[in-house]
Amino acid sequence: MEVATNLANIRSRIEAACDRSNRNKEDIVIIGVTKYVTIERTEETINAGIKNLGENRLEGFLDKYQHFQDEDVCWHFIGSLQTRKVKDVIDKVDMVHSLDRMSLAKEINKRIDRPVDCFIQVNVSGEESKHGLMKEELMQFIADIRQYEHVRIAGLMTMAPLTENEQVIRNVFRELRELRDAVKEQGHSHAPCRFLSMGMSNDYEIAIEEGATHIRIGTDLVG
Ligand SMILES: *Cc1c(COP(=O)(O)O)cnc(C)c1O
C-alpha cells in the first residue's frame, strides 16, 4: 500500500477519535516510525506529508538523518538510548522519547549546550520486560533532574502492554495522563510536561481518546 493511502486512512481514524473525545486533530502529532523501512520508503513518507520521523536505533537513525537532514523534518529518538551513544545523536534529534534513568540525563546534559526536549518513559504497567521509570519514582526523578540544565521535560511517554484487552490498554494511557497532569501542576520551569507520547499502530485511537499528543506509528503507515 502507498504511504499516502495509509496516511489518509490513519488521518480519518484520528479525526474520528478526536470527535469522540472532543479534541482537535491539530493537537495530535503523527510520528512516522521508519525503523523497519528503506530510505526510499522513508522518502515516500516525507513526500506524503509526514514531518516527524522516529527511529529507535542509533544506526537506523544516523542513516536516515544523513540522508534527509536538509528536509523539513523533526527527528524523534524513540528507542532505548545507551549512554555511550548519546554523543552521536544528541545534537541531531529534536526530541528524545526514552529518558529512563538519571545517568542518561547527566550524559545528555554534558554533550549538548542547548536545552533538549525529552519525554520521560514511564513503565506504567510495571511489567518487568519494559523499559521506563516506575511511576512511584517519577516525582523524585523530576525534582532531581533540575540540576541538568540542558534537559527539559517536555512530557511523558509509555508503551501499552501487548494485549487484546482494550480496557487494560486504556487504563495505562489514562494513568500516564494523570501522571502528566500531576507533574504539570507542580509548575517546574524545567518540566513544563505538556505532552503525552503514547499510542502505536494497534492502539493509537485509544491513546488519542485518553489525551495523546504524539502518536508513534510504524506498521500502519509504512508497513
Ligand atoms: C516500533 C515502535 C513504534 C511503532 O510501532 P508500530 O506498532 O509498528 O506502529 C512505536 N514506538 C516505539 C518505541 C517503537 O519502538
Side-chain angles (χ1 to χ4, degrees):
M1 210 61 118
E2 285 180 20
V3 174
T5 311
N6 293 339
L7 181 58
N9 180 33
I10 290 166
R11 284 203 198 283
S12 73
R13 289 168 65 175
I14 290 173
E15 232 176 291
C18 284
D19 285 347
R20 289 194 294 278
S21 51
N22 262 316
R23 300 191 57 200
N24 284 324
K25 62 179 193 293
E26 289 75 24
D27 295 337
I28 318 286
V29 176
I30 304 172
I31 300 171
V33 176
T34 48
K35 66 187 184 194
Y36 321 100
V37 301
T38 59
I39 294 286
E40 289 70 35
R41 191 72 166 163
T42 303
E43 184 166 15
E44 190 191 338
T45 307
I46 296 170
N47 290 339
I50 291 287
K51 296 250 179 275
N52 290 266
L53 294 183
E55 284 281 333
N56 70 335
R57 301 178 58 91
L58 177 73
E59 297 70 24
F61 172 78
L62 291 177
D63 205 27
K64 306 276 172 30
Y65 178 84
Q66 274 150 16
H67 213 275
F68 297 111
Q69 58 180 314
D70 297 333
E71 305 268 341
D72 179 20
V73 167
C74 283
W75 296 97
H76 298 259
F77 198 88
I78 63 173
S80 65
L81 184 52
Q82 286 173 275
T83 308
R84 66 190 169 84
K85 295 184 172 173
V86 167
K87 62 179 184 314
D88 301 320
V89 293
I90 202 62
D91 59 333
K92 304 179 177 68
V93 297
D94 293 288
M95 297 184 108
V96 174
H97 289 244
S98 47
L99 177 55
D100 60 355
R101 58 195 190 280
M102 205 49 79
S103 55
L104 182 57
K106 183 178 180 188
E107 181 68 10
I108 291 173
N109 189 61
K110 181 172 142 189
R111 297 291 181 178
I112 191 119
D113 53 12
R114 58 163 170 92
V116 179
D117 279 325
C118 298
F119 289 85
I120 296 177
Q121 185 168 356
V122 184
N123 181 356
V124 175
S125 59
E127 289 170 286
E128 259 185 38
S129 59
K130 284 212 150 53
H131 287 278
L133 286 191
M134 290 297 150
K135 52 199 173 195
E136 298 77 16
E137 304 170 316
L138 180 64
M139 289 305 178
Q140 189 60 50
F141 186 83
I142 286 176
D144 292 345
I145 224 160
R146 157 170 277 151
Q147 64 186 300
Y148 299 124
E149 55 182 337
H150 302 141
V151 178
R152 239 171 71 106
I153 305 306
L156 303 182
M157 178 275 212
T158 200
M159 290 170 77
L162 258 182
T163 167
E164 301 279 296
N165 187 331
E166 195 184 304
Q167 196 57 48
V168 170
I169 296 172
R170 188 176 294 282
N171 288 344
V172 164
F173 291 154
R174 188 168 295 168
E175 224 178 313
L176 194 72
R177 182 186 68 211
E178 287 165 3
L179 288 167
R180 190 273 316 263
D181 292 346
V183 175
K184 213 163 93 177
E185 180 102 332
Q186 297 204 328
H188 293 296
S189 59
H190 70 293
C193 207
R194 293 169 50 217
F195 301 128
L196 283 171
S197 169
M198 58 190 197
M200 316 188 349
S201 291
N202 285 329
D203 52 24
Y204 67 89
E205 291 156 286
I206 306 172
I208 289 169
E209 288 169 17
E210 297 303 327
T213 61
H214 294 65
I215 56 176
R216 310 177 308 267
I217 306 197
T219 313
D220 265 20
L221 183 67
V222 299

